[in-house]
Amino acid sequence: MSPRGESEPPRLPEATLATEIIANFQNFSNFQEQFTNTAKTLFGSGYVWLSRNPREQTLIIHTTANQDSPISDRLRPILVIDIWEHAYYLKHQNRRPEHIQDWWELVDWGQVKALSDWWAAYDAGHDEL
């Protein structure tokens, strides 16, 4: 996550990450809509993740509650939004959709790709975790 300058164009995933998003969600707009809708409709508090399923080599959007982590389910998390009220109440009060919309402006796809690459190296035999 990092702020985007006002004159900077919107950030989008590139290279292999963009290809994987298209392969799993048809296009970036569909992915963004599915991720946003999952975040908007998550009951209560929790997290919405984009994770890689290493068994199937697919990207999936899913949720967790409380302190639960996708790693416990043997998934490889690469992007997350915090939907706990404390994450957005000061700026947006109870307006979760505004929090989600602002969050998209902070996604640093270069860092998402770097994390995805790290997981790929881990799955190839590195055991730093």
Side-chain angles (χ1 to χ4, degrees):
M1 307 306 286
S2 64
R4 181 173 63 91
E6 289 186 28
S7 62
E8 185 182 343
R11 296 178 185 154
L12 296 171
E14 298 176 351
T16 55
L17 183 58
T19 302
E20 287 184 274
I21 288 173
I22 291 167
N24 287 273
F25 302 99
Q26 285 73 51
N27 58 53
F28 181 75
S29 294
N30 283 346
F31 158 71
Q32 191 174 33
E33 182 179 334
Q34 287 179 38
F35 195 95
T36 297
N37 287 340
T38 302
K40 284 180 181 177
T41 59
L42 179 64
F43 181 75
S45 298
Y47 303 92
V48 177
W49 304 85
L50 175 65
S51 295
R52 180 180 320 291
N53 180 335
R55 293 172 297 280
E56 299 175 13
Q57 290 301 310
T58 57
L59 295 177
I60 60 170
I61 296 169
H62 63 103
T63 63
T64 60
N66 303 318
Q67 73 285 348
D68 296 346
S69 168
I71 296 170
S72 300
D73 294 325
R74 300 193 185 283
L75 298 173
R76 308 298 189 239
I78 60 173
L79 181 67
V80 64
I81 183 171
D82 182 346
I83 301 297
W84 289 73
E85 192 175 73
H86 68 259
Y88 59 91
Y89 190 81
L90 289 177
K91 182 174 182 182
H92 298 296
Q93 288 73 49
N94 61 350
R95 298 183 306 272
R96 183 185 288 187
E98 290 177 23
H99 165 63
I100 298 164
Q101 182 178 353
D102 283 354
W103 177 86
W104 282 111
E105 296 297 317
L106 299 174
V107 174
D108 185 333
W109 289 104
Q111 292 300 314
V112 175
K113 170 89 170 66
L115 184 56
S116 181
D117 291 347
W118 184 90
W119 278 116
Y122 172 81
D123 287 335
H126 295 245
D127 62 355
E128 293 91 356
L129 188 61

